Amino acid sequence: MKVEKYLLRIIEREGAAHLSLIDPAKQSPEVAGRMASSVAEGGSDGIMVGGSTGAGGELLDETVLAIKDAVDLPVILFPASELCISGHADAIFFMSMLNSADPYYITGAQRLGAPRVKEFGLEAIPMAYLVVEPGGAAGRVGKANLIPRDEPELAASYALAAQYLGMRFIYLEAGSGAEAPVPVEMVRAVRRAVDSTLLVGGGIRTPEAAAERVEAGADIVVTGTLVEEVKNRAERIRGIVRAIKSGRGASRRRCKRSP
Ligand code: 1GP
């Protein structure tokens, strides 16, 4: 089954999905494989591989292969540039940072990477990447005109533009390790504006924070820093997964999407 369809099916049946982010630059492929096993044990629905450091080449290939050896979950590339593409992954978030000040991050890297995506036969999932304050490394590297935390309607306008441009997924990113995740009010404003599949990530560390954002309309919660924690990794992920799949979010999505 295609990865996009797999994710949509989980969202429809379980109310929301959880993705774990592994940055290939932060550990050996072998350790990445072990991390993947414990997030799978915690109930994560898939693994995103990438990071602002832009690891590519052999390290990326070996990391993807180690993860695929360790778990039966889809591996989705989350590339910082055209150099971060591996033919061993199952899919790629083919993303454009719509609020970047640098055209390279909007269409430049995409132009350079597209032929490789085709050559590898990767499933490309079109995604708008919107970076919200504080933005972290993603905001700095991508030269983002950060969306202020108190301007939910600005995020909603970008999201609507993304939908009209044909992007089926929209990622609201506060930056890895952000002190506070994307505000709930902003998630709600974006959900009101679009029907797209909505991802939220950056600074989500607790089941409550994750569940609040799903209740506000997020379809997919992404956690990265939590995955890097050595202690109780599976339990911490399990707490988040349970919270997003059992709350009001679950019934909300089921009601909205059932025929
Ligand atoms: C970063 O949104 C992701 O792109 C994950 O953020 O590391 O804070 O979970 P965290």
Side-chain angles (χ1 to χ4, degrees):
M1 188 193 307
K2 294 266 190 193
V3 174
E4 181 172 349
K5 195 168 173 197
Y6 161 85
L7 290 172
L8 294 181
R9 191 172 284 188
I10 290 173
I11 294 162
E12 189 178 336
R13 290 183 179 168
E14 301 172 20
H18 177 266
L19 294 177
S20 296
L21 173 64
I22 295 181
D23 185 342
K26 293 195 175 165
Q27 65 288 299
S28 67
E30 189 193 341
V31 172
R34 285 205 294 275
M35 287 162 82
S37 298
S38 51
V39 303
E41 196 189 320
S44 203
D45 298 300
I47 313 241
M48 288 162 57
V49 177
S52 318
T53 45
E58 248 175 68
L59 180 59
L60 176 64
D61 281 336
E62 284 172 17
T63 299
V64 171
L65 287 171
I67 293 171
K68 291 201 67 75
D69 261 359
V71 296
D72 207 11
L73 294 175
V75 174
I76 310 165
L77 299 172
F78 180 56
S81 78
E82 74 279 7
L83 303 175
C84 313
I85 302 173
S86 166
H88 301 291
D90 298 297
I92 179 168
F93 281 140
F94 200 82
M95 49 207 258
S96 171
M97 189 190 286
L98 293 188
N99 62 322
S100 175
D102 184 344
Y104 169 79
Y105 292 99
I106 306 171
T107 56
Q110 294 74 2
R111 190 249 318 159
L112 294 165
R116 298 194 73 205
V117 172
K118 187 173 167 82
E119 180 191 326
F120 290 142
L122 283 167
E123 176 188 348
I125 302 174
M127 182 164 89
Y129 191 45
L130 303 177
V131 187
V132 178
E133 287 177 337
R140 280 193 304 281
V141 172
K143 303 192 186 94
N145 288 318
L146 297 172
I147 299 175
R149 296 179 64 79
D150 60 358
E151 290 193 35
E153 292 310 323
L154 180 58
S157 299
Y158 270 118
L160 195 55
Q163 180 168 294
Y164 291 158
L165 283 165
M167 296 166 175
R168 296 190 291 276
F169 282 43
I170 294 174
Y171 190 152
L172 290 176
E173 167 76 272
S176 183
E179 247 172 56
V182 172
V184 168
E185 197 37 61
M186 189 176 283
V187 176
R188 197 170 286 125
V190 169
R191 176 80 290 159
R192 271 198 301 262
V194 296
D195 302 321
S196 324
T197 300
L198 181 57
L199 296 86
V200 179
I204 296 176
R205 298 178 190 86
T206 63
E208 295 74 24
E212 280 169 11
R213 280 150 188 84
V214 168
E215 284 176 27
D219 296 302
I220 299 178
V221 169
V222 180
T223 59
T225 305
L226 261 192
V227 180
E228 287 159 26
E229 282 189 16
V230 180
K231 258 181 137 186
N232 305 329
R233 189 187 291 138
E235 287 90 310
R236 301 260 339 245
I237 302 280
R238 189 173 297 121
I240 289 189
V241 169
R242 280 199 184 133
I244 65 173
K245 296 193 187 225
S246 63
R248 283 207 316 250
S251 47
R252 175 185 63 77
R253 301 307 292 164
R254 272 196 285 269
C255 292
K256 193 176 168 207
R257 293 189 184 220
S258 53

